[in-house]
Amino acid sequence: MKFGELLYKYRLRKKLTLRGFARELNVSPVYIMDIEKGRRGAPRREIIDKMVAILELKEEQEIRQFYDKAAETKKEDFVPGDVKIMFKEIENAALLMRTIKKKNLTKKNVEELIKDIEKGKYGSGE
């Protein structure tokens, strides 16, 4: 699923009209329609943040997917804003990524690592 399709799905789930949603974002309905139809990439970070709030996305997985799909619409080297912040705030985040690359971890290996972290195998996160 692409970003525009995901946006459309969440907007309908919230029962927001195109015009009403655009009004809350202070953008034109055509702008939102173009995003939903895939004719335009994701908007800037501030608007995406407002979308998350208006759509009342609460589940971590939904929020992560929303930002990741937005990033896919941007130029190749675009990194989602929340990930950029994490790289600044989390000590050794870059080292972790370099280690994953250096050790040639597969997608499956990384998914297993994520599951272990989510299960609390590596601490409480505090």
Side-chain angles (χ1 to χ4, degrees):
M1 184 175 288
K2 296 181 179 178
F3 177 73
E5 296 167 327
L6 194 61
L7 174 60
Y8 179 75
K9 172 186 160 185
Y10 291 150
R11 182 175 63 77
L12 290 185
R13 183 177 75 183
K14 187 76 174 112
K15 296 183 171 82
L16 289 167
T17 65
L18 188 65
R19 288 179 192 268
F21 185 57
R23 188 174 28 254
E24 288 193 52
L25 288 168
N26 200 29
V27 298
S28 80
V30 173
Y31 179 72
I32 297 300
M33 184 174 62
D34 283 348
I35 293 170
E36 290 180 351
K37 298 285 185 187
R39 294 188 290 248
R40 183 184 285 264
R44 65 185 188 280
R45 168 68 191 245
E46 298 81 25
I47 293 178
I48 295 173
D49 291 343
K50 285 170 86 174
M51 287 177 169
V52 168
I54 293 166
L55 296 169
E56 297 180 357
L57 301 181
K58 304 280 189 235
E59 303 268 335
E60 183 63 34
Q61 183 179 348
E62 284 183 345
I63 295 168
R64 187 177 336 136
Q65 182 185 32
F66 196 72
Y67 281 103
D68 289 348
K69 291 296 179 183
E72 289 173 10
T73 72
K74 301 293 185 179
K75 59 185 175 186
E76 209 171 299
D77 62 348
F78 181 83
V79 177
D82 61 325
V83 175
K84 283 183 184 179
I85 291 168
M86 285 183 251
F87 267 87
K88 290 178 183 176
E89 293 176 349
I90 300 172
E91 189 175 334
N92 292 329
L95 177 59
L96 173 63
M97 296 305 298
R98 288 184 184 114
T99 303
I100 289 170
K101 177 143 177 78
K102 180 179 171 185
K103 296 296 181 178
N104 295 315
L105 268 64
T106 64
K107 179 180 178 181
K108 184 177 179 186
N109 296 141
V110 174
E111 288 170 353
E112 289 170 3
L113 178 61
I114 290 167
K115 285 179 186 174
D116 287 344
I117 292 168
E118 287 175 343
K119 289 178 186 175
K121 184 173 180 178
Y122 297 101
S124 64
E126 295 175 11

